[in-house]
């Protein structure tokens, strides 16, 4: 069983910053074997890619809409993945989900967290 627990969401004004965290755990879950990612979803829309980091942390993939503003990173010693979000705008408002096992090209993996709400006010 894999558990992914997100934290760090909230309400922020446009232009502000937030840092999301995801703690990964699970019996027999080899965290360092998995790419990790963040996806987001708004009502009525499909869940979409935000960012993915490979197992070592050396390679990242970003959606065009967040390039230059968001940074994904991971700490393999702590089984944590982070999403630093800067220059937020109202279009970034969504529920953000941590994902384990995505491909570096952007396809989601099999394990999801429960999501954390990010709301950006104008």
């Amino acid at each position: 069983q894999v558990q992914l627990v997100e934290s760090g969401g909230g309400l922020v004004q446009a232009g502000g910053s937030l840092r999301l965290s995801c703690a990964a755990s699970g019996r027999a879950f080899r965290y360092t074997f998995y790419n990790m990612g963040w996806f987001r979803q708004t009502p009525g829309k499909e869940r979409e890619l935000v960012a993915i980091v490979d197992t070592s942390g050396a390679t990242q993939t970003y959606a065009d809409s967040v390039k230059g503003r968001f940074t994904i990173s991971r700490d393999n010693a702590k089984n944590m993945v982070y999403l630093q979000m800067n220059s937020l705008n109202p279009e970034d408002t969504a529920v953000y989900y941590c994902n384990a096992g995505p491909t570096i090209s952007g396809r989601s993996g099999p394990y999801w967290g429960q999501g954390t709400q990010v709301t950006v006010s104008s």
Side-chain angles (χ1 to χ4, degrees), residues 44-62:
K45 292 189 176 181
E46 291 189 358
R47 200 168 293 187
E48 64 176 10
L49 165 72
V50 177
I52 293 169
V53 62
D54 74 347
T55 55
S56 71
T59 301
Q60 302 89 37
T61 297
Y62 293 96

Side-chain angles (χ1 to χ4, degrees), residues 13-46:
Q13 288 189 330
S17 299
L18 281 175
R19 187 192 194 209
L20 303 184
S21 300
C22 173
S25 63
R27 194 171 177 181
F29 175 58
R30 299 286 191 96
Y31 174 77
T32 55
F33 286 14
Y34 289 82
N35 296 337
M36 296 295 296
W38 291 93
F39 290 73
R40 66 187 182 187
Q41 189 170 24
T42 55
K45 292 189 176 181
E46 291 189 358

Side-chain angles (χ1 to χ4, degrees), residues 8-122:
L11 174 64
V12 64
Q13 288 189 330
S17 299
L18 281 175
R19 187 192 194 209
L20 303 184
S21 300
C22 173
S25 63
R27 194 171 177 181
F29 175 58
R30 299 286 191 96
Y31 174 77
T32 55
F33 286 14
Y34 289 82
N35 296 337
M36 296 295 296
W38 291 93
F39 290 73
R40 66 187 182 187
Q41 189 170 24
T42 55
K45 292 189 176 181
E46 291 189 358
R47 200 168 293 187
E48 64 176 10
L49 165 72
V50 177
I52 293 169
V53 62
D54 74 347
T55 55
S56 71
T59 301
Q60 302 89 37
T61 297
Y62 293 96
D64 288 344
S65 59
V66 307
K67 280 181 183 176
R69 301 188 298 123
F70 291 11
T71 302
I72 188 171
S73 62
R74 66 190 292 163
D75 185 336
N76 283 350
K78 297 180 179 179
N79 286 15
M80 297 288 296
V81 61
Y82 306 99
L83 186 68
Q84 178 66 44
M85 305 186 293
N86 299 328
S87 301
L88 285 160
N89 59 60
E91 290 71 38
D92 296 315
T93 295
V95 178
Y96 283 71
Y97 295 90
C98 182
N99 181 245
T103 66
I104 202 64
S105 61
R107 181 173 291 183
S108 62
Y111 305 113
W112 294 96
Q114 81 288 353
T116 185
Q117 176 71 47
V118 171
T119 303
V120 184
S121 64
S122 58

